[in-house]
Amino acid sequence: MDFNFFNIKKNAEKFQSFFLDLIFPIECLGCGREGAWLCSACFKAINLKPEQYCLNCKKPNDFGQFCPPCRINYDLDGVWIAALYDDRLVARAIKSLKYYFVSSLAGDLSKLLISFVDTLLEQARIVRPELAAGLAWRSFRKIQGLPSALLNFKGNLIVPVPLSKKRLRWRGFNQAEILARTFVGHYGREMNGRDLVRLKHKKPQAKLSEAERLYNLKDCFVWRGADLGKRNIILIDDVVTTGATLNECAKVLKANGAGEVWGLVVAKG
Ligand SMILES: [Zn+2]
Ligand SMILES: [Zn+2]
C-alpha cells in the first residue's frame, strides 16, 4: 500500500517536473540564457567570500574560527562561508535549490563549496611550513587558528545537517545532503548522512531572537552512531544565520567523541 503510494507519488513528481519544464524552460538565474540554471559565465562571475571571520563578533581571521573570547559560548570550532549572500545570484540559487528542487543547482553550489575549500587548503598549506620555521610571533598568531581539520583533511567525516523525518517527507529531499554528496564525491571523503538525526523542527528560526534560537534547538538532534573517536567533522548546510543549528549539532557530535567540528556553508543568510 505504502509502496504503491510512493510510486504513484514519484510518477506524479516526474510528470510535474516534465510539465514544468515544458512551460518554464530552464533559464540561467543570472542572465536568463536558456539551457542551464546557472550558466558557466555567471558561475565564473560569482566571487568566493574573500575573508573569513569569527561568526560571533565578525572579527576577521584566516580560518573562520571562533576567537578565544567568543569560543566559550560555542561547541562548534568555526564556520567556513564560501560565498556572499549579497551576491544576488547566490541568494537566488540557494532559494531555488531549497524551494523548487533543482538538482543541477546543487551541483553548482557544491562546486562553489569545492573551490572555496581548495583555497582554504591552499592557505593552510602556506601557513604550515611556518610551523617548522620556528615560531616567530606573527606566524604563531596565524598558526593558532590553523584547524587540524584542514591539516588532516583526509581524516574528516562529512555530515550534512539533517532534516526531521516529517520535514523530509514534506520537502522530499534534504538540500544539505545533496550538497554534501557532491562534495564527498569530489574529494573522495567519507560521509555519514544517517546517524545524526534531527528529532524535531520547532518554530521557523527566522522568527526568533538569538537567545530564543539557542533554546529552541535544545535536544533537537541526537547521534545514533558509534563513538566518533576524536574524528574531525565537517558539517555541511546551505546557509548559516547565527550558527545556532550548526552549534547544536556540534554539541551532540562532541558529546559522542568528535574532535573538531566545523561548519561549511554556501553563504551566510
Ligand atoms: Zn548566466
Ligand atoms: Zn569572536
Side-chain angles (χ1 to χ4, degrees):
M1 175 74 180
D2 239 25
F3 181 72
N4 281 338
F5 174 73
F6 183 67
N7 265 339
I8 291 165
K9 192 170 166 246
K10 230 179 154 179
N11 286 329
E13 273 163 13
K14 262 192 204 154
F15 176 72
Q16 194 182 24
S17 94
F18 168 75
F19 188 65
L20 284 174
D21 282 354
L22 215 63
I23 30 177
F24 302 110
I26 296 173
E27 278 177 2
C28 174
L29 294 167
C31 66
R33 197 177 303 159
E34 272 188 38
W37 291 106
L38 248 178
C39 77
S40 57
C42 286
F43 180 79
K44 273 189 208 134
I46 295 174
N47 289 319
L48 294 178
K49 194 167 182 292
E51 195 173 51
Q52 298 298 301
Y53 55 55
C54 163
L55 186 69
N56 192 56
C57 68
K58 312 292 187 287
K59 213 179 279 168
N61 59 36
D62 288 325
F63 298 107
Q65 67 273 26
F66 286 107
C67 59
C70 296
R71 269 232 63 146
I72 306 161
N73 303 313
Y74 289 87
D75 289 279
L76 193 63
D77 289 82
V79 184
W80 299 328
I81 302 168
L84 293 166
Y85 202 76
D86 322 353
D87 189 312
R88 201 176 52 94
L89 188 52
V90 171
R92 289 181 79 179
I94 290 173
K95 278 185 196 144
S96 308
L97 170 64
K98 207 166 186 160
Y99 299 111
Y100 319 96
F101 175 40
V102 179
S103 60
S104 64
L105 270 179
D108 287 328
L109 291 176
S110 314
K111 266 191 249 160
L112 270 188
L113 291 183
I114 289 161
S115 23
F116 170 75
V117 166
D118 282 344
T119 62
L120 270 186
L121 288 170
E122 175 62 17
Q123 197 174 344
R125 198 184 59 78
I126 294 166
V127 173
R128 184 157 50 170
E130 294 176 29
L131 275 166
L135 295 178
W137 178 78
R138 262 179 87 125
S139 46
F140 178 68
R141 208 176 51 134
K142 265 195 139 178
I143 288 157
Q144 275 187 320
L146 184 58
S148 103
L150 286 179
L151 272 173
N152 175 25
F153 189 67
K154 277 186 195 158
N156 293 318
L157 179 66
I158 313 296
V159 177
V161 170
L163 294 180
S164 68
K165 261 192 190 163
K166 198 173 155 194
R167 179 70 55 96
L168 187 63
R169 227 179 293 133
W170 176 72
R171 186 176 284 164
F173 64 95
N174 176 3
Q175 72 278 8
E177 193 177 332
I178 302 170
L179 288 172
R181 199 156 287 164
T182 316
F183 184 84
V184 163
H186 176 83
Y187 288 110
R189 298 283 79 86
E190 193 188 332
M191 168 171 139
N192 186 321
R194 184 193 60 232
D195 290 332
L196 183 63
V197 177
R198 186 168 193 151
L199 300 173
K200 50 194 168 181
H201 281 267
K202 293 192 181 165
K203 284 184 219 163
Q205 290 278 302
K207 290 181 189 150
L208 301 173
S209 75
E210 214 149 304
E212 283 171 331
R213 278 175 196 238
L214 285 170
Y215 183 74
N216 193 42
L217 285 164
K218 214 170 158 279
D219 303 324
C220 275
F221 297 93
V222 283
W223 175 255
R224 299 229 162 112
D227 185 89
L228 286 157
K230 291 266 171 286
R231 202 155 175 205
N232 297 331
I233 311 279
I234 299 179
L235 277 167
I236 293 191
D237 209 351
D238 52 353
V239 279
V240 64
T241 43
T242 59
T245 304
L246 289 170
N247 192 58
E248 203 52 38
C249 293
K251 189 183 289 173
V252 167
L253 292 167
K254 286 195 171 170
N256 285 278
E260 291 181 357
V261 181
W262 292 82
L264 171 63
V265 298
V266 179
K268 182 180 180 309

